Amino acid sequence: MNNLTFPILHQLSDGQFHSGETLAKQFGVTRATVWNAVQYAQDLGVTVFSVRGRGYKLANTLTLLDKRRVLQAIGSERDWFHFDVLDEVVSTNTYLMKAAANGAPHVSCVAAHIQTAGRGRRGRTWVSHLGASLTFSLLWRFDCGAAALSGLSLAIGVALIRALRELGMQSPQLKWPNDVLVNNKKLAGILIDLQGDMDGPSAAVIGVGINVDLPEHVLHSIDQAAIDIRHTSMHHIDQSDLLGTVLKHFASVLRHFEASGFVGLRDEWLRYHAYHQATVRMVMPDGRDVEGTVTGVAEDGILLVQTAFGLQRFSAGEISLRGLL
Ligand code: ATP
Ligand code: BTN
């Protein structure tokens, strides 16, 4: 972490040359301190040209999140949000879980320009890249207990699909319980951490990672088929507009979920499920698996699969769904 790196990146994001001397004066530091901050930007994967006599310039466009633009895209619901952008954080979910324990208000939201240890489910890693990924978390406090939140991650999937479709993406799909797919490749993931009692009140930290414009080597470093927005029919979207639109749909779906749970969203979820009526393999944590046909999903988000042993019910958490041709 280097406290000067992001202030300098904000300056360089205009795509022009900035001399080391001007930057040093502007921030009241030495030119060597500026150089160190620029080195750290390179460590984060940003290529910065350094030309004698002219200064520093970004090799590629870098668009950082713009808080005002995010709030504008949220629209009339924006006053509900306690929204902040962090430059660098270990994980927005970890950060917001701590903040929630310390009393952070309902509808707190943090987005990060870069996570140093982004998490997927079960301790897996979420890969992201500065300026090329959207990573954020939203805290929602519920009167009900954590036990009533089992369909929440599916409800959030519906909100993500609505946002992507509003922004013009064709055919985004869901994979039970919590992935967004395009062309059978993973575009986004949802990680929900819960706090509080099983019978209430409780708090959910809803974390989302969306691939926007990953460098090819980063995309290929992911150990399953992955895709970013640039390779979809949407091609390009300003990240602040994307985040604001997603948060607007989150607020609406979460209000619905609070009032009546997942049941009213179930048909919509099934319409977008990539594996509805498909033959799948359900893999248990110990590696055992069972094949069957997905026939539906219950009101609490449990997946219903018709197998040789009858209709089986799978709850999210430890089970992975794998498609078969
Ligand atoms: P499931 O176990 O339900 O099948 P999954 O295999 O997608 O889900 P998750 O825990 O939901 O696993 O997500 C973490 C996984 O996502 C990582 O193990 C990795 O395979 C993949 N992954 C990590 N970063 C990215 C990314 N930026 N884009 C797409 N996929 C990613
Ligand atoms: C998954 O598919 O397993 C879920 C991935 C969730 C990634 C997001 S990025 C923002 C938030 N912070 C994290 O550490 N993880 C989630």
Side-chain angles (χ1 to χ4, degrees):
M1 178 101 176
N2 181 308
N3 289 338
L4 200 57
T5 299
F6 278 90
I8 288 179
L9 284 175
H10 279 281
Q11 295 294 315
L12 297 183
S13 65
D14 64 4
Q16 305 299 311
F17 271 105
H18 292 256
S19 78
E21 196 177 340
T22 313
L23 290 168
K25 266 202 197 119
Q26 195 173 345
F27 293 110
V29 296
T30 63
R31 281 193 302 172
T33 306
V34 169
W35 188 84
N36 281 333
V38 169
Q39 291 316 298
Y40 187 64
Q42 312 252 32
D43 293 346
L44 294 178
V46 181
T47 307
V48 185
F49 294 137
S50 170
V51 177
R52 193 184 288 271
R54 299 195 70 187
Y56 301 108
K57 181 183 188 296
L58 292 180
N60 301 299
T61 320
L62 175 69
T63 312
L64 297 169
L65 285 168
D66 175 345
K67 185 171 169 176
R68 272 194 321 183
R69 194 161 172 167
V70 174
L71 292 172
Q72 202 172 5
I74 295 174
S76 57
E77 302 268 24
R78 73 175 75 90
D79 292 343
W80 284 93
F81 284 80
H82 305 270
F83 176 68
D84 230 333
V85 179
L86 306 173
D87 286 327
E88 182 177 338
V89 70
V90 171
S91 143
T92 54
N93 263 43
T94 307
Y95 177 92
L96 207 48
M97 281 294 273
K98 275 194 202 133
N102 289 325
H106 181 47
V107 207
S108 293
C109 179
V110 288
H113 285 133
I114 189 73
Q115 297 187 124
T116 50
R119 297 189 276 121
R121 296 197 304 150
R122 286 174 266 161
R124 292 163 175 161
T125 300
W126 183 257
V127 174
S128 59
H129 192 78
L130 179 57
S133 313
L134 185 59
T135 52
F136 68 94
S137 302
L138 173 69
L139 167 66
W140 198 271
R141 295 188 179 277
F142 292 90
D143 291 332
C144 67
L149 301 181
S150 48
L152 181 62
S153 81
L154 281 74
I156 289 297
V158 169
L160 268 178
I161 295 283
R162 286 184 185 173
L164 293 169
R165 284 169 55 87
E166 179 188 325
L167 293 167
M169 185 177 288
Q170 285 157 22
S171 315
Q173 289 189 300
L174 294 165
K175 177 186 159 226
W176 181 88
N178 63 354
D179 294 348
V180 176
L181 308 180
V182 173
N183 298 337
N184 281 319
K185 297 175 183 169
K186 187 161 168 176
L187 175 79
I190 301 163
L191 173 71
I192 300 190
D193 288 319
L194 297 178
Q195 223 171 73
D197 296 332
M198 287 315 271
D199 49 3
S202 56
V205 169
I206 303 160
V208 176
I210 305 178
N211 302 324
V212 178
D213 189 5
L214 293 175
E216 291 296 325
H217 74 276
V218 177
L219 203 52
H220 293 127
S221 72
I222 299 168
D223 60 3
Q224 65 171 286
I227 191 167
D228 59 8
I229 283 180
R230 186 166 60 95
H231 289 89
T232 70
S233 55
M234 203 198 275
H235 300 302
H236 176 75
I237 177 79
D238 179 90
Q239 286 195 33
S240 302
D241 294 342
L242 173 62
L243 176 53
T245 307
V246 167
L247 291 175
K248 176 181 74 178
H249 284 283
F250 275 17
S252 135
V253 160
L254 283 161
R255 291 234 168 75
H256 179 102
F257 184 88
E258 230 165 29
S260 45
F262 171 62
V263 64
L265 301 164
R266 176 169 50 183
D267 286 350
E268 192 175 348
W269 188 90
L270 281 173
R271 262 205 309 284
Y272 294 118
H273 189 213
Y275 294 96
H276 191 47
Q277 305 291 8
T279 309
V280 297
R281 200 158 57 86
M282 302 302 290
V283 186
M284 327 289 161
D286 62 4
R288 282 183 306 129
D289 62 5
V290 59
E291 267 183 42
T293 304
V294 176
T295 58
V297 67
E299 289 181 15
D300 51 5
I302 282 180
L303 191 73
L304 306 176
V305 182
Q306 188 66 47
T307 73
F309 313 102
L311 187 67
Q312 294 199 354
R313 300 163 58 83
F314 294 95
S315 59
E318 297 296 299
I319 312 283
S320 293
L321 180 158
R322 297 284 173 260
L324 292 176
L325 286 182

